């Protein structure tokens, strides 16, 4: 069984329970989907994900409000991460056959003075904050000061990120991006080796009305080796990137990429791809789950976003033909019912569907996210992913 088009959707941060090594990350008890279900007390309505087998993944502890189904429309399972971190970059690279084996740089106390001075010297602007902070809280607490002084708000989190926030009326986007590009250029190697430099523009008249814009841009490390996206592109296949996929892979291995402003926009762009006559892989990231609800520890908003996604998923399912394969997964967890504000080390769901299927069943626990990419390569008869194991032959 092979397919002309494969659609991969990463529902960013939607974990499905603590991974076997969660203790190494201080994440014992994390359960993104489980805790959202508990919050909604049975009112989490995800009919399309349910019929794909979402709760079948954990039959002894189904997600509250999401029933186990006797005959799911496809295959279900979960995947374990082998990368040394739990960042979006780690998760996506591993999906595409390139696990992150060297730890990235983390700066829980803020960035070294010499790095900050380089950014100040290059930009001609003073840096303020320089410590872990919530992205919405930091502009509330320091945004008015930034507007008055023209300073750069630099902050981090539990991930390997250096984020720079600035009001667009004070520091235009072009300048902010240029500063972030410089920060990227000096943090590629040790002693910093930071995974992502993130531009965080915001607007608004005062601290009670500041909002971050959709012009966020992630300047990631370029992949340290060949990925499955590179392999697909080299084989002459279409590789369509939707959302922050282009940023995560620094544009490498992509034949066409589109920026999105929301989950809703990401699904609309994916539906547009479903209406195109292409041969290859459409890869979508829906970041709102993570950025807007997981990090902000907002289970209510997270649940609403999941239900909105599920509704659009119904439209996508209806648009697929026998020559299409859909695979839905996540890149890590970010449990809104857990302590802190950072990603959580969890298994991620794996849901696979095609109208061509005559059977359904469990894909079990996959040892690595790289099985995702290995299956895509196998479908197109492309080699190169030595980390993952294809489950293509299990699809019937």
């Amino acid at each position: 069984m092979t397919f002309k088009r494969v659609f991969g959707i990463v529902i960013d941060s939607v974990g499905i329970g603590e991974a076997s090594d969660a203790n190494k990350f201080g994440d014992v008890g994390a359960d993104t989907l489980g805790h959202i279900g508990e919050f909604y007390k049975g009112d989490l309505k995800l009919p399309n994900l349910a019929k794909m087998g979402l709760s079948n993944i954990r039959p002894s502890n189904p997600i509250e409000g999401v029933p186990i189904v006797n005959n799911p429309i496809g295959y279900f399972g979960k995947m374990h991460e082998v990368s040394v971190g739990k960042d979006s970059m780690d998760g996506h690279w591993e999906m595409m056959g390139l696990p992150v084996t060297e730890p990235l740089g983390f700066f829980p106390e803020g960035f070294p003075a010499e790095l900050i001075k380089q950014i100040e010297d290059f930009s001609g602007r003073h840096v303020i904050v320089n410590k872990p902070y919530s992205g919405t809280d930091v502009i509330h607490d320091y945004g008015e000061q930034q507007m008055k002084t023209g300073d750069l708000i630099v902050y981090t989190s539990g991930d390997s990120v250096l984020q720079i926030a600035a009001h667009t009326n004070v520091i235009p986007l072009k300048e902010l991006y240029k500063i972030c590009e410089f920060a990227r250029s000096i943090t590629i190697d040790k002693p910093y080796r930071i995974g992502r430099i993130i531009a965080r523009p915001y607007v608004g008249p005062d601290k009670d009305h500041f909002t971050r814009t959709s012009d966020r841009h992630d300047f990631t490390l370029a992949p340290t080796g060949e990925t499955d996206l590179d392999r697909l592109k080299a084989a002459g296949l279409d590789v369509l990137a939707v959302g922050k996929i282009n940023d995560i892979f620094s544009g490498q291995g992509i034949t066409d990429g589109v920026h999105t402003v929301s989950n809703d926009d990401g699904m609309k762009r994916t539906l547009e791809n479903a209406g195109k006559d292409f041969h290859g892989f459409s890869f979508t990231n829906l970041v709102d789950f993570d950025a807007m609800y997981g990090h902000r520890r907002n289970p209510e908003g997270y649940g609403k976003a999941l239900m909105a996604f599920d509704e659009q998923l119904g439209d996508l399912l209806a648009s697929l033909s026998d020559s299409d394969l859909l695979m839905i997964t996540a890149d890590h967890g970010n449990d809104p019912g857990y302590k802190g504000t950072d990603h959580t080390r969890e298994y991620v769901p794996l849901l696979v569907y095609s109208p061509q299927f005559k059977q359904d069943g469990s894909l079990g626990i996959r040892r690595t996210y790289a099985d995702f990419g290995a299956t895509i390569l196998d479908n197109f008869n492309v080699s190169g992913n030595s980390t993952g194991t294809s489950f293509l032959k299990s699809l019937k």
Side-chain angles (χ1 to χ4, degrees):
M1 183 176 287
T2 57
F3 307 89
K4 177 183 177 182
R5 307 189 302 181
V6 178
F7 293 84
I9 299 178
V10 179
I11 43 179
D12 200 305
S13 85
V14 183
I16 196 164
E18 65 176 57
S20 65
D21 57 357
N23 61 309
K24 296 179 182 178
F25 297 84
D27 290 334
V28 173
D31 184 1
T32 298
L33 279 165
H35 287 150
I36 295 169
E38 289 174 10
F39 177 86
Y40 272 84
K41 297 180 171 61
D43 289 331
L44 184 66
K45 305 302 182 186
L46 304 173
N48 290 303
L49 288 167
K51 71 182 184 181
M52 291 185 75
L54 184 61
S55 270
N56 294 55
I57 296 170
R58 43 191 282 175
S60 63
N61 183 25
I63 300 153
E64 194 169 342
V66 182
I68 294 173
V69 293
N70 292 328
N71 298 109
I73 62 173
Y75 292 81
F76 55 87
K78 60 184 181 181
M79 300 194 297
H80 193 290
E81 188 166 13
V82 298
S83 292
V84 294
K86 52 180 179 175
D87 185 73
S88 291
M89 190 190 82
D90 300 60
H92 285 79
W93 284 15
E94 183 174 330
M95 274 181 234
M96 294 296 106
L98 187 67
V100 177
T101 57
E102 182 181 347
L104 298 174
F106 294 91
F107 299 89
E109 306 302 322
F111 300 101
E114 57 269 24
L115 174 57
I116 295 298
K117 185 176 187 305
Q118 284 182 275
I119 294 172
E120 289 180 331
D121 289 348
F122 175 82
S123 66
R125 296 180 181 276
H126 180 61
V127 165
I128 57 174
V129 186
N130 188 26
K131 59 184 177 181
Y133 229 106
S134 156
T136 49
D137 289 347
V138 79
I139 60 174
H140 177 273
D141 296 348
Y142 292 93
E144 291 182 350
Q145 176 182 341
Q146 193 272 325
M147 288 183 72
K148 291 176 183 175
T149 62
D151 293 342
L152 299 172
I153 298 174
V154 172
Y155 64 105
T156 187
S157 71
D159 304 316
S160 182
V161 296
L162 185 156
Q163 307 195 64
I164 305 179
H167 196 289
T168 57
N169 286 353
V170 178
I171 301 179
L173 270 179
K174 186 176 181 180
E175 181 182 351
L176 177 60
Y177 289 167
K178 185 177 180 182
I179 295 167
C180 288
E181 286 173 352
F182 171 76
R184 170 73 287 160
S185 71
I186 62 172
T187 56
I188 294 171
D189 299 316
K190 292 180 178 180
Y192 305 123
R193 192 168 163 72
I194 297 171
R196 288 180 292 160
I197 309 298
I198 306 179
R200 287 290 198 176
Y202 66 96
V203 295
D206 56 57
K207 65 180 182 181
D208 295 320
H209 298 92
F210 289 144
T211 58
R212 298 192 293 187
T213 78
S214 62
D215 293 311
R216 159 187 171 159
H217 187 73
D218 292 39
F219 299 82
T220 63
L221 284 174
T224 54
E226 190 177 41
T227 73
D228 292 341
L229 299 184
D230 296 313
R231 297 174 182 115
L232 292 168
K233 182 179 179 181
L237 294 155
D238 298 310
V239 182
L240 313 181
V242 178
K244 72 175 187 178
I245 297 295
N246 195 67
D247 288 350
I248 290 170
F249 291 91
S250 298
Q252 296 184 17
I254 293 164
T255 60
D256 183 59
V258 293
H259 175 71
T260 59
V261 298
S262 63
N263 280 359
D264 176 76
D265 186 31
M267 284 302 291
K268 287 178 178 175
R269 296 291 189 136
T270 303
L271 280 161
E272 287 177 9
N273 283 351
K276 297 176 180 177
D277 182 20
F278 72 92
H279 183 206
F281 181 39
S282 171
F283 199 12
T284 299
N285 174 280
L286 304 176
V287 73
D288 288 358
F289 300 114
D290 185 47
M292 296 184 67
Y293 308 112
H295 284 300
R296 300 183 193 184
R297 294 300 187 251
N298 179 355
E300 181 178 9
Y302 209 134
K304 288 180 179 177
L306 280 168
M307 289 186 277
F309 164 70
D310 190 88
E311 189 171 337
Q312 289 180 295
L313 174 60
D315 296 333
L316 180 60
L317 292 172
S319 73
L320 300 178
S321 70
D322 284 358
S323 61
D324 295 329
L325 179 69
L326 170 65
M327 300 199 296
I328 299 174
T329 190
D331 51 346
H332 50 72
N334 200 345
D335 184 354
Y338 200 62
K339 63 186 179 182
T341 61
D342 298 324
H343 296 163
T344 43
R345 184 77 162 191
E346 300 183 48
Y347 289 103
V348 295
L350 176 63
L351 300 171
V352 184
Y353 168 74
S354 172
Q356 188 181 160
F357 289 167
K358 300 294 190 293
Q359 298 181 25
D360 60 75
S362 174
L363 295 170
I365 301 174
R366 314 304 301 189
R367 183 187 62 82
T368 166
Y369 292 4
D371 290 5
F372 188 90
T375 302
I376 297 167
L377 292 192
D378 191 12
N379 176 74
F380 294 111
N381 197 28
V382 176
S383 62
N385 182 331
S386 60
T387 302
T389 302
S390 169
F391 50 78
L392 185 69
K393 289 181 174 59
S394 299
L395 308 179
K396 299 174 181 177

